[in-house]
Amino acid sequence: MRADLSIENFRGALPAQVRAVSFDVFDTVVTRTFARPADLFVELGSRLLAQGLVGLSPARFGRLRVLAEAEACGRRDDHETNLSEIMECLGQRLGWQAPARAHALAAELALEREAIRPVTPILAWIAEARRAQKKIVFVSDMYLSSEFLRELLVAHAIAQPDDPIFVSNEHRASKSAGTIFPRVAEALKISPSELLHIGDNEHSDVAMARKAGLQARQITTTLLGAIERSYLPFGPDLDGLSAQIAAAARLGRINSSLAASDQALCEIGAGLLGPLLTAFVLWSFHRARQAGLRRLYFVSRDGQVIREIALALQARMPMFADFDCRYLYGSRIAWHHASLTALTPRHLRWLLNPQPIVHAGILAHRLGVEQEVLTRCLQATAASHLLAKQSWDANDLALLTEILPHCGDELLSAAGAPARVQLARAYLTQEGLFDGTPWGVVELGWSGSMLTSLCEALGHPARLDAFYLCQTHEDPDLPAAVRLESFLMKPEGAQPVFVRHLRLAEMIEAITAADHPTVLGYQKNGSSIGPRLKKNTIPMWTPAALASLRGGASGFLQAIDTGTLESLRATTAVPIAACCLAFHLLSVLSRFAVEPTRELATPFTRCSFSEDPADEHRRNFAEPLNLWTALSDKPFRADELWREGSLVCSSGTAQALVRGGLPNAFRHLKNRLSPS
């Protein structure tokens, strides 16, 4: 578990005998808009290339900058170098004269100034230490000068002008060697035991500080998390953009963590949900602009958080502020009902869709009739024996496909189909779908069957634009009038070949959950028409869990800097670049699904999920295995939602059984029981 950054936690770690608190600087009190220092060097290379100072690619320049630093360190016995010495080594590699070296040094310092962001929770720690009348000190193993660090820290209200700042390259001593800590204590005229040091590095900030006699506390929250690290391999393919996304995810997670009741969901919101939806919305804006649209309808329920991201982006990006972004209540069942005037083969396909199972109760709910009505209709037919079955197989569904149309009039009359269709059309009219404004639909996915029904409910318009995050397959009845484009997943695209049993679309549906139940249809509310929501349903997430997810996503968007946001905008504007970005985002999601940590997977054991159009047949998204299940030949269900998540949340013995059988389980138990 990551360290708690609450002020109460800090107070508990501040002994009375401590007279001074020293803070590490980078990734403790500040972080950058780049995931790693090397990523900042790539951006520096991009700027110098634009200025004509270098002719190398940004990635190549970044590697040379790293090599120059290593060379400058190697030239000194103490391995403590400064930026001027680094630039001298780099200049020798690139053939720079003194003016060019000075220009590059100034450009790097300017980029450092732009990239610095305070770690908000730690600011409260510093303020609390001052309130307790402790001396505040900053200590950094760094090639930058103390004067420059003071400028940065004072500018962000982190340090006061007279706070001591110790930098390794000036003292030619470091935290990593443990040689700088005695100098700090000596300068403060206190004993080492009266100094508490706080930092992120287990070796430099904890082990070596304690070895020098200090008290020490490690902060792990500022370290890149598993999701954030998975963006890094794609940095060179997107000119560093992936690493900047990772940095924004980290900062968004950190700054949202104190308000989140579930730290894991906050991390998922910042690392997965925020980047994915930000890229998708920007892409949707571009595609809508190209199509000449002026209004976008974000369809419930998944569209709720997508619209929140869209509104936040509009506030930051005036070029998209003219889109009218509206929330439209709809669902598979509501729009299927809006077009249901006869039991056609198309309607029977979704009515009888075993997703994951279907039986008489589920069919009645999908039709919108009491189960007694369906029972009465089928009792006198060859399908009467199916009423008692808990799950219909392929033969059962084939029989019902033949029989149900003969019961259509009675079933649809009982469902109030004509009035239901008229009410849906009145709602769509009320929401402006017929007012002549060019509009499109923004939706999560999956096949477009909702759009087929919407087209019928609208009276078959000449054109209907739609932008999906995930189109996993295509409805065979999708009208040619529907111009459907998908960002992350496309039919027969990359997603099916990642890992075939991964149900990534369902995972995205889980993390884009709304705060209201599914829409079953529409009803009059005085003079207006509103959604008829399903009652007495278990929410997918608790309100607190959902707030943690949304908080992380919002935190990402607040943390992403203007330059990175502009890079995302430019990338999503170019089709081939947008495809590359989507592939990388899909890879990050896949990595999370294939190799989840127990901490990040655990919340999904409390996620109540349904694949049914009417929101029936709920189960937990991840379900830990018991020992008996783990012993079986097939420990996972055929329709398992998340095998890896279920497994990593299981006991160590159950995991050992699944991964290696009884011999592996015995080795696991032996290791657990043997003394360390």
Side-chain angles (χ1 to χ4, degrees):
M1 291 292 290
R2 293 179 180 272
D4 182 4
L5 292 185
S6 69
I7 192 64
E8 292 78 16
N9 188 43
F10 176 65
R11 286 174 183 147
L14 190 62
Q17 67 269 28
V18 165
R19 296 173 59 190
V21 182
S22 67
F23 290 89
D24 170 47
V25 177
F26 289 92
D27 292 335
T28 297
V29 299
V30 299
T31 186
R32 294 181 175 101
T33 57
F34 300 92
R36 303 162 298 184
D39 302 315
L40 181 144
F41 304 151
V42 173
E43 174 62 21
L44 176 62
S46 178
R47 296 188 180 191
L48 295 179
L49 176 64
Q51 295 165 6
L53 192 63
V54 296
L56 304 170
S57 71
R60 172 67 175 148
F61 175 86
R63 292 193 292 272
L64 288 180
R65 169 61 178 78
V66 171
L67 289 173
E69 183 175 338
E71 182 181 349
C73 288
R75 290 181 178 183
R76 299 190 55 87
D77 292 338
D78 54 28
H79 298 286
E80 291 302 327
T81 189
N82 59 40
L83 189 57
S84 294
E85 294 167 346
I86 294 170
M87 284 300 165
E88 183 177 348
C89 291
L90 183 60
Q92 290 173 358
R93 288 173 175 269
L94 296 173
W96 283 345
Q97 298 301 313
R101 293 199 301 271
H103 180 87
L105 188 149
E108 181 164 336
L109 292 179
L111 185 54
E112 285 280 8
R113 288 188 187 92
E114 293 177 30
I116 290 298
R117 296 291 185 275
V119 177
T120 304
I122 299 297
L123 299 185
W125 286 29
I126 296 173
E128 176 64 17
R130 293 191 195 280
R131 188 196 64 78
Q133 297 184 328
K134 312 296 184 183
K135 183 69 175 175
I136 302 299
V137 187
F138 298 94
V139 185
S140 181
D141 284 355
M142 182 39 103
Y143 46 78
L144 298 172
S145 69
S146 59
E147 179 184 356
F148 182 76
L149 290 187
R150 185 181 306 282
E151 173 195 333
L152 293 180
L153 296 176
V154 171
H156 288 281
I158 298 168
Q160 294 179 356
D162 58 347
D163 287 337
I165 298 178
F166 295 80
V167 182
S168 60
N169 75 80
E170 294 177 350
H171 289 269
R172 304 300 183 180
S174 67
K175 294 183 299 171
S176 61
T179 51
I180 202 169
F181 293 117
R183 299 190 186 189
V184 175
E186 182 180 356
L188 297 177
K189 296 181 172 55
I190 61 175
S191 68
S193 63
E194 294 175 309
L195 178 60
L196 169 65
H197 180 70
I198 296 171
D200 68 296
N201 189 282
E202 185 175 3
H203 170 75
S204 300
D205 294 310
V206 179
M208 299 310 293
R210 288 174 178 167
K211 186 176 181 181
L214 280 67
Q215 301 187 53
R217 177 73 183 274
Q218 185 184 14
I219 296 298
T220 60
T221 308
T222 53
L223 300 175
L224 290 170
I227 299 172
E228 296 145 12
R229 289 194 301 272
S230 63
Y231 283 96
L232 301 182
F234 304 109
D237 300 304
L238 289 170
D239 293 330
L241 178 57
S242 292
Q244 291 167 266
I245 292 173
R250 171 178 58 187
L251 186 58
R253 165 179 55 80
I254 292 169
N255 290 342
S256 304
S257 62
L258 294 184
S261 63
D262 192 311
Q263 298 299 309
L265 287 176
C266 179
E267 188 165 344
I268 291 167
L272 288 178
L273 187 60
L276 188 58
L277 296 189
T278 298
F280 171 53
V281 168
L282 289 172
W283 173 84
S284 298
F285 281 155
H286 286 302
R287 304 308 294 159
R289 179 86 74 213
Q290 190 172 40
L293 307 181
R294 290 164 46 199
R295 183 183 297 154
L296 291 174
Y297 289 101
F298 294 79
V299 183
S300 67
R301 292 178 287 169
D302 319 293
Q304 188 181 60
V305 64
I306 302 174
R307 180 173 177 265
E308 288 179 5
I309 296 292
L311 295 176
L313 283 170
Q314 285 184 304
R316 290 190 61 179
M317 309 187 83
M319 73 282 291
F320 297 128
D322 58 326
F323 281 114
D324 179 9
C325 295
R326 300 188 180 185
Y327 192 54
L328 187 68
Y329 284 99
S331 68
R332 284 177 287 176
I333 192 167
W335 286 0
H336 289 331
H337 283 175
S339 67
L340 185 54
T341 56
L343 294 184
T344 66
R346 182 181 84 80
H347 289 102
L348 287 171
R349 275 196 291 274
W350 70 263
L351 283 169
L352 297 174
N353 183 8
Q355 194 180 10
I357 66 169
V358 62
H359 50 63
I362 290 178
L363 175 58
H365 199 77
R366 291 179 183 178
L367 281 164
V369 300
E370 296 294 330
Q371 189 169 345
E372 292 78 8
V373 176
L374 180 64
T375 299
R376 186 170 64 248
C377 288
L378 294 183
Q379 274 179 338
T381 71
S384 59
H385 65 288
L386 301 181
L387 292 169
K389 293 188 68 172
Q390 292 303 305
S391 180
W392 292 335
D393 59 27
N395 291 330
D396 300 332
L397 298 178
L399 177 61
L400 286 164
T401 301
E402 294 180 7
I403 289 175
L404 281 175
H406 301 291
C407 309
D409 290 344
E410 183 176 354
L411 289 171
L412 294 179
S413 176
R420 193 165 60 185
V421 169
Q422 292 174 8
L423 199 58
R425 188 176 178 88
Y427 172 75
L428 298 174
T429 300
Q430 170 189 284
E431 298 305 310
L433 278 75
F434 294 98
D435 68 4
T437 303
W439 57 265
V441 167
V442 180
E443 234 272 87
L444 192 62
W446 309 114
S447 69
S449 64
M450 279 179 63
L451 300 176
T452 303
S453 292
L454 180 60
C455 274
E456 292 185 18
L458 293 172
H460 301 282
R463 177 167 177 165
L464 194 160
D465 291 273
F467 308 103
Y468 273 17
L469 178 59
C470 307
Q471 187 189 357
T472 55
H473 54 292
E474 186 156 307
D475 176 27
D477 298 303
L478 190 68
V482 175
R483 310 292 178 88
L484 173 56
E485 299 181 68
S486 186
F487 175 67
L488 189 70
M489 299 180 191
K490 300 172 177 63
E492 301 178 1
Q495 184 268 334
V497 300
F498 268 87
V499 178
R500 293 190 180 277
H501 71 262
L502 284 183
R503 304 187 66 176
L504 299 179
E506 287 83 354
M507 180 172 286
I508 294 173
E509 184 173 355
I511 63 176
T512 55
D515 62 6
H516 64 79
T518 193
V519 179
L520 296 180
Y522 304 98
Q523 60 188 8
K524 287 188 175 181
N525 296 322
S527 59
S528 64
I529 298 171
R532 180 168 59 86
L533 303 178
K534 186 175 182 182
K535 298 178 180 179
N536 303 319
T537 186
I538 301 171
M540 193 178 298
W541 301 99
T542 65
L546 188 61
S548 297
L549 261 174
R550 297 278 183 91
S554 176
F556 168 81
L557 200 51
Q558 292 172 16
I560 194 168
D561 65 289
T562 302
T564 303
L565 194 56
E566 172 57 26
S567 295
L568 268 175
R569 185 206 63 77
T571 299
T572 52
V574 181
I576 189 65
C579 284
C580 184
L581 174 61
F583 181 80
H584 291 165
L585 291 169
L586 185 59
S587 300
V588 169
L589 178 65
S590 300
R591 179 72 177 270
F592 170 73
V594 171
E595 299 177 359
T597 65
R598 185 185 185 96
E599 181 181 355
L600 294 180
T602 296
F604 287 85
T605 64
R606 302 184 293 271
C607 172
S608 177
F609 192 81
S610 174
E611 302 145 274
D612 182 72
D615 230 13
E616 296 290 320
H617 190 70
R618 305 193 70 85
R619 54 189 170 132
N620 290 333
F621 199 91
E623 300 178 311
L625 306 176
N626 58 45
L627 290 179
W628 295 114
T629 304
L631 275 167
S632 67
D633 292 336
K634 295 181 179 180
F636 298 108
R637 299 164 41 156
D639 60 348
E640 189 81 24
L641 287 165
W642 191 14
R643 294 185 185 184
E644 288 73 13
S646 296
L647 186 58
V648 79
C649 292
S650 304
S651 69
T653 305
Q655 292 184 49
L657 280 168
V658 172
R659 291 183 171 129
L662 282 171
N664 193 40
F666 284 132
R667 282 193 296 272
H668 169 78
L669 288 171
K670 181 180 178 181
N671 291 336
R672 281 194 61 190
L673 296 174
S674 62
S676 303

